[in-house]
Amino acid sequence: MPPIYILGAGPAGLAAAYTLTQQGQTVVVVERESQVGGLAKSIEYQGFILDLGPHRFYTKIPPVLKLWNEVLGTEQVTVSRLTRIYYSGKYFSYPLKALEVLFALGIVENIRIFFSYLAAKLLPNRHPENFSEWVTAKFGKRLFEIFFEAYTEKLWGISCTEISAEWAAQRIKGLSLLKALRTAFLGSDGKVKSLIDQFQFPRLGSGQLYDKISDYLLEKNQEILLNTEVVRVYEHNSRVTKLTLRNRHTGVESTVGCSAVISSVPLNTLVEQMILPPPVSKSYHWRDRSSFATQFSFI
């Protein structure tokens, strides 16, 4: 039987490959970059190991925790969180410390924050449509302007009005101004993932987890194709039957058979690579397109 092809060697793709390998399945991982790990990989620079982006290893999901512990073993350390916000020439601890904010911002700014929060609660926006409206409804307009707006727009490169309210609710799940103040005075109870003080982390950076999964797959004679991209997806009766792959260095293309495909690449990229794209009609929405894709791939 042909192997299961896994598109993308980021956290999702490698976790799928690791789990299927444990179940005795034959897999081939396809990654367009020269290194596994996706946006969570680590890179070496002038003798230092640097994470590509900021990451924390924290979960309440037992299967995820089990996978981390199996792969990393003793190669984990406990890290004390140090996160700070730079505003108006000063550094503020995050989670916010009440006395620090009180003295650093001054009485006038604190009064503005209080009345802004009070206004948001007295005249609530019950149906926020974007990140800006969601955070303002939750914390008040002034706190949004100070601690959320510039940071979010610098990080994601788009206006807060272009980010959905659903995304905000997921990223800041369970956090409120009262909980933030309670944490500032009494410490974190660990129930809000945005406020945890300590977390486990791979000793050599986040990429160590994905490098070790890669080593495990190779030890089990599984194939990892780096510098390789998918240029065509062939499907029949809503099942992927073949893939055309291209080596990014040589430009050589090859078409391979597969028993199944698991895709962790962006959904729009996957749809664009299909030989017969899904039909488009006035009633055809993104949700329908997602359903079409997941008929033959698990995302």
Side-chain angles (χ1 to χ4, degrees):
M1 178 182 292
I4 298 172
Y5 274 76
I6 298 173
L7 312 185
L14 288 175
Y18 179 84
T19 302
L20 288 171
T21 299
Q22 289 188 319
Q23 296 174 358
Q25 301 286 341
T26 302
V27 302
V28 177
V29 180
V30 181
E31 170 57 49
R32 73 187 309 271
E33 302 297 334
S34 60
Q35 183 180 346
V36 301
L39 294 176
K41 64 173 173 270
S42 300
I43 58 176
E44 284 197 31
Y45 179 74
Q46 296 186 357
F48 294 92
I49 299 174
L50 305 174
D51 287 350
L52 187 63
H55 303 284
R56 294 203 305 271
F57 279 59
Y58 175 76
T59 184
K60 293 182 179 180
I61 303 174
V64 176
L65 189 59
K66 178 176 179 291
L67 186 150
W68 289 348
N69 290 333
E70 283 181 0
V71 174
L72 290 170
T74 59
E75 291 293 300
Q76 299 181 79
V77 293
T78 301
V79 178
S80 295
R81 171 177 176 162
L82 175 59
T83 305
R84 295 191 294 178
I85 300 170
Y86 185 71
Y87 173 75
S88 191
K90 301 182 180 68
Y91 285 99
F92 293 84
S93 299
Y94 184 84
L96 299 175
K97 295 181 179 178
L99 293 179
E100 182 181 81
V101 173
L102 183 65
F103 287 109
L105 292 181
I107 187 65
V108 174
E109 193 63 82
N110 279 280
I111 290 174
R112 292 181 67 187
I113 290 172
F114 173 76
F115 281 104
S116 175
Y117 175 74
L118 191 61
K121 295 306 171 185
L122 291 176
L123 301 170
N125 179 355
R126 302 191 186 280
H127 303 286
E129 296 183 356
N130 54 56
F131 182 92
S132 174
E133 292 180 0
W134 190 92
V135 175
T136 298
K138 196 83 169 175
F139 300 101
K141 184 174 181 59
R142 190 55 188 156
L143 264 183
F144 164 72
E145 293 172 339
I146 294 175
F147 292 122
F148 290 93
E149 185 174 26
Y151 166 79
T152 302
E153 293 184 352
K154 285 179 182 178
L155 181 62
W156 298 105
I158 58 176
S159 169
C160 289
T161 58
E162 297 180 55
I163 301 174
S164 72
E166 291 80 5
W167 185 89
Q170 189 276 328
R171 291 288 293 185
I172 317 176
K173 184 178 180 181
L175 182 60
S176 67
L177 184 60
L178 292 179
K179 285 185 178 179
L181 290 173
R182 189 183 306 123
T183 299
F185 283 108
L186 304 177
S188 172
D189 59 7
K191 293 182 180 180
V192 181
K193 65 180 180 179
S194 297
L195 301 180
I196 60 172
D197 296 319
Q198 291 186 324
F199 53 93
Q200 295 301 110
F201 204 72
R203 188 174 60 84
L204 298 178
S206 63
Q208 186 178 18
L209 172 65
Y210 312 110
D211 291 338
K212 288 180 75 69
I213 293 178
S214 176
D215 293 341
Y216 171 82
L217 295 175
L218 295 175
E219 288 172 4
K220 297 297 183 180
N221 298 315
Q222 306 283 37
E223 196 171 2
I224 301 176
L225 303 178
L226 299 177
N227 300 302
T228 302
E229 57 188 354
V230 178
V231 293
R232 288 289 183 271
V233 176
Y234 304 81
E235 59 90 21
H236 180 67
N237 292 332
S238 297
R239 291 188 62 85
V240 174
T241 56
K242 295 185 296 184
L243 299 169
T244 296
L245 310 177
R246 178 192 295 146
N247 185 294
R248 298 182 70 203
H249 285 169
T250 65
V252 174
E253 295 186 3
S254 59
T255 299
V256 296
C258 54
S259 61
V261 166
I262 297 177
S263 177
S264 63
V265 303
L267 186 55
N268 60 329
T269 300
L270 180 67
V271 173
E272 289 168 0
Q273 291 165 343
M274 295 172 58
I275 288 292
L276 296 176
V280 177
S281 67
K282 291 182 179 180
S283 61
Y284 190 73
H285 301 295
W286 177 254
R287 187 172 183 179
D288 301 317
R289 193 185 310 176
S290 300
S291 300
F292 180 88
T294 53
Q295 286 177 18
F296 60 82
S297 63
F298 303 88
I299 299 174

